[in-house]
Amino acid sequence: MSRRPFLAGNWKMFKTGDQAVAFIEEFVPLIGDLTDRDAALAVPATALQRAADAAKGSPVIIGAQNLHWENEGAFTGEISAGMIVSAGAKMAIIGHSERRQYFGDTDEWVSKKLSAALAAGLLAVVCVGETLAERESGRTFEVLATQLKGSLADFKAQDEKNLILAYEPVWAIGTGKTATKEEAQETQAFIRKELGSLGLPAEAIRILYGGSVKPDNAQALMAQPDIDGLLVGGASLKADSFAKIVKYGN
Ligand code: PEP
């Protein structure tokens, strides 16, 4: 089955509204018409509205980096799926390893956030990945199986068009250390098999790789059969480098 490539940037805690608009104005002409792939940017909450306005009429999908599962309430500092939609955004990253590591996101929370995102009509990018200690002790597959089972506990198969998985080995994020294409392929094939064992339409679900992706390794990663897209942190902060990644192979 052919899965439409999905190239997403994650700006983390970088860029103001003005900087987001300037980026998009530079980036959109660089990528041109995207007929055979999707491009997305997960921006800080304070830049969502302005980024969505600036990207209007372009192929660029704007998304949030996190959300709360409740629609509203006494949750200081949080934003809901409804707020993301009303800002004009269409996507949310859920369970990024930095959320899991520094802000206490658990698989149970990821599952609740995923349900809220899908109910609001957002495209959800759910992240999983092992730490270096877990990989070195031979526990990668066990860790991923647990994360997938917990994070997708309430996921219903009819929503597969709005679910994207991202395999992000924690040891490769922001470290300059990329998983080899063989390591990424082997692990992503395992994730696809697990999705199948959870009763989900695994062949239809896109699985991204993330971890020190750069313009010069994007094409080799994308040539792997189970890598359907890339989630890019550092190299998505400059319009020309992210445009090169989005246009890999051209
Ligand atoms: C990320 O933020 O999801 C990421 C993979 O970061 P980097 O590309 O900088 O490793």
Side-chain angles (χ1 to χ4, degrees), residues 10 12 96 98 168 172-174 210-213 231-234:
N10 170 24
K12 314 191 187 205
H96 189 278
E98 287 153 15
E168 295 213 309
I173 298 180
S212 299
V213 173
L231 182 54
V232 185

Side-chain angles (χ1 to χ4, degrees), residues 73-87:
F75 301 104
T76 302
E78 295 289 314
I79 60 169
S80 70
M83 291 170 180
I84 294 167
V85 170
S86 83

Side-chain angles (χ1 to χ4, degrees), residues 128-204:
V128 293
E130 80 288 0
T131 63
L132 186 58
E134 289 162 345
R135 177 160 282 265
E136 285 178 343
S137 60
R139 296 180 52 227
T140 298
F141 289 174
E142 175 196 330
V143 166
L144 291 172
T146 304
Q147 287 179 347
L148 288 168
K149 188 159 184 262
S151 303
L152 303 178
D154 294 319
F155 179 75
K156 307 271 180 310
Q158 71 266 19
D159 284 329
E160 79 261 8
K161 275 203 190 59
N162 281 336
L163 174 69
I164 295 177
L165 262 292
Y167 168 55
E168 295 213 309
V170 177
W171 49 271
I173 298 180
T175 58
K177 225 183 188 188
T178 319
T180 64
K181 57 188 187 329
E182 292 80 10
E183 280 169 334
Q185 166 55 29
E186 181 194 29
T187 314
Q188 300 200 189
F190 170 79
I191 290 173
R192 199 174 307 284
K193 186 170 77 54
E194 280 302 297
L195 293 175
S197 347
L198 293 172
L200 301 175
E203 289 302 314

Side-chain angles (χ1 to χ4, degrees), residues 208-226:
L208 319 183
Y209 167 77
S212 299
V213 173
K214 303 276 179 296
D216 61 6
N217 59 22
Q219 188 168 354
L221 287 161
M222 286 304 294
Q224 302 303 307
D226 287 295

